[in-house]
Amino acid sequence: MAKALIGHLNSDLRDPRLALENARLRNRVAELESLVLRLSQENDKLLAARAAELLGSDAEMQPA
């Protein structure tokens, strides 16, 4: 059982192709996380701008 655990935990160290693939996938995940964060921030800005636009137009339509 110990041999199976060691093989499972260190499998990428024995095969350089797996180590390279893991590194590539980790980089891709980091890129996608960065993209999600950037898009989320952009979405928040757009929502805030739209809300301000709607609130501004409501204030103009109300009687004084």
Side-chain angles (χ1 to χ4, degrees):
M1 177 134 173
K3 188 175 183 179
L5 289 174
I6 290 172
H8 173 71
L9 295 175
N10 297 321
S11 64
D12 61 339
L13 298 176
R14 293 181 185 176
D15 189 356
R17 292 173 298 168
L18 287 176
L20 289 173
E21 181 69 8
N22 280 341
R24 187 186 69 77
L25 290 172
R26 283 189 179 105
N27 287 336
R28 183 65 178 144
V29 167
E31 289 173 7
L32 292 173
E33 287 173 340
S34 174
L35 177 63
V36 166
L37 180 61
R38 185 180 60 82
L39 291 175
S40 178
Q41 291 170 343
E42 184 178 334
N43 189 49
D44 291 344
K45 288 178 187 176
L46 290 171
L47 284 172
R50 181 65 178 148
E53 181 182 312
L54 290 174
L55 289 174
S57 66
D58 285 345
E60 293 172 3
M61 297 174 108
Q62 294 177 354

